[in-house]
Amino acid sequence: MSTVVPPLPYRVAGTRAETADTRSIELAPVGRELPSFAPGQFAMIYAFGVGEVPISASALRGRHGGLVHTVRAVGAVSTALYRMRPGDTVGLSGPYGTGWDLDAAVGHDVLVIAGGIGLAPLRPVVQAVLDRPAAYGRLAVLVGARTPADLVYRDEIESWRDPARVEVTVDRPGPGWHGAVGVVTTLLDRLDLRPERTCAFVCGPEVMMRHTARALLARGLASQRVQVSLERNMHCATGHCGHCQLGPLLLCRDGPVVGYDRVAQLLLVREL
């Protein structure tokens, strides 16, 4: 079993506003550095005097060479992190949990499907595939958001369009939006999907992941080739407290990334 690791001090090296309530913060070690993170793994980020939250890495190497996390201000801790500015200090521990199994996708087409801020833990997957184009087949990225204003990494998404097939949809279009409207699964019909040679990586709200996985299986993908990232109510990150238990899994330890074949039935259990 994992042991509790005291957080190390990390300095905010840079920030970037993604949406009105979401910001990416790049963190650089003040002294000793944590071990390298794999795509999909998460850190416990401690805002001094407020508390700590689990947040997946959204880039393994930012503009200043540090680790990047994308934070949506939805609670006391995440709001404190959202308000951080360069030079501020946080406590960081990790890496925790399982990462995306990119080795399983070598030689296959890669399909990335994200809902909302679920694109954050998938961003390193896209970057890893772009960094090694000869190792993978075709790359497709499908992104869904509530509104155009809720889309994160908008400039970066545009930069992926040349090497990858990129499709974006929103639930509620605003003025000037000329793209697709509807849930992200509707974008699957735009792809020339080769299910026998495709590996899918999915992250977003649980209901979105559940429907997306079912849509992929209906199109012939094997459940073993669909990976999802689950983040139910994590507290300790070490499998001790049990808050993130889902059936036999402790998601902070056995997840957040798991194969859909392991959790298809468990996802029918409503989150408390």
Side-chain angles (χ1 to χ4, degrees), residues 104-111 137-138 191-200 216-226:
V106 170
H108 294 78
D109 294 345
V110 174
L111 174 57
R138 303 182 307 194
L191 300 182
D192 177 21
L193 195 63
R194 300 185 289 188
E196 73 285 355
R197 56 178 303 179
T198 297
C199 289
L216 291 171
L217 266 58
R219 286 165 172 78
L221 258 74
S223 59
Q224 297 88 338
R225 288 189 177 173
V226 179

Side-chain angles (χ1 to χ4, degrees), residues 27-85:
L27 303 174
V30 174
R32 189 158 63 95
E33 188 172 1
L34 293 171
S36 298
F37 283 60
Q41 288 187 301
F42 70 94
M44 295 298 291
I45 308 181
Y46 184 68
F48 294 113
V50 185
E52 62 179 353
V53 289
I55 301 179
S56 297
S58 60
L60 305 185
R61 187 173 181 81
R63 181 178 301 177
H64 304 282
L67 192 64
V68 181
H69 294 80
T70 299
V71 181
R72 174 166 289 166
V74 294
V77 182
S78 57
T79 298
L81 295 173
Y82 170 83
R83 291 173 176 167
M84 291 278 178
R85 293 294 181 266

Side-chain angles (χ1 to χ4, degrees), residues 26 55 63 73 88 97 100 115 121-122 133 146 176-177 183 190 198 203 219 228 240 247 251 259 267:
E26 182 173 349
I55 301 179
R63 181 178 301 177
D88 290 342
W100 302 105
L122 287 167
R146 287 176 298 179
W177 176 257
V183 296
R190 300 186 176 202
T198 297
C203 188
R219 286 165 172 78
V228 297
H240 287 281
L251 290 176
L267 285 179

Side-chain angles (χ1 to χ4, degrees), residues 109-112 125-126 129-130 137-141 160 163-166:
D109 294 345
V110 174
L111 174 57
V112 171
V125 172
V126 176
V129 175
L130 293 177
R138 303 182 307 194
L139 170 64
V141 182
W160 296 339
R165 175 72 181 270
V166 177

Side-chain angles (χ1 to χ4, degrees), residues 87-216:
D88 290 342
T89 304
V90 301
L92 198 72
S93 63
Y96 294 113
T98 57
W100 302 105
D101 186 2
L102 276 162
D103 288 341
V106 170
H108 294 78
D109 294 345
V110 174
L111 174 57
V112 171
I113 307 178
I117 200 172
L119 183 57
L122 287 167
R123 190 180 178 203
V125 172
V126 176
Q127 193 58 56
V129 175
L130 293 177
D131 288 344
R132 298 180 58 206
Y136 304 95
R138 303 182 307 194
L139 170 64
V141 182
L142 309 183
V143 179
R146 287 176 298 179
T147 71
D150 293 313
L151 283 169
V152 294
Y153 319 131
R154 296 186 69 154
D155 294 343
E156 194 168 343
I157 289 173
E158 290 304 312
S159 75
W160 296 339
R161 288 189 183 278
D162 183 21
R165 175 72 181 270
V166 177
E167 299 286 348
V168 179
T169 186
V170 298
D171 295 335
R172 301 194 303 271
W177 176 257
H178 302 292
V181 177
V183 296
V184 72
T185 50
T186 61
L187 299 177
L188 287 170
D189 293 332
R190 300 186 176 202
L191 300 182
D192 177 21
L193 195 63
R194 300 185 289 188
E196 73 285 355
R197 56 178 303 179
T198 297
C199 289
F201 301 81
V202 184
C203 188
E206 270 197 19
V207 63
M208 167 264 174
M209 289 192 287
R210 191 166 58 245
H211 285 286
T212 299
R214 289 174 178 170
L216 291 171

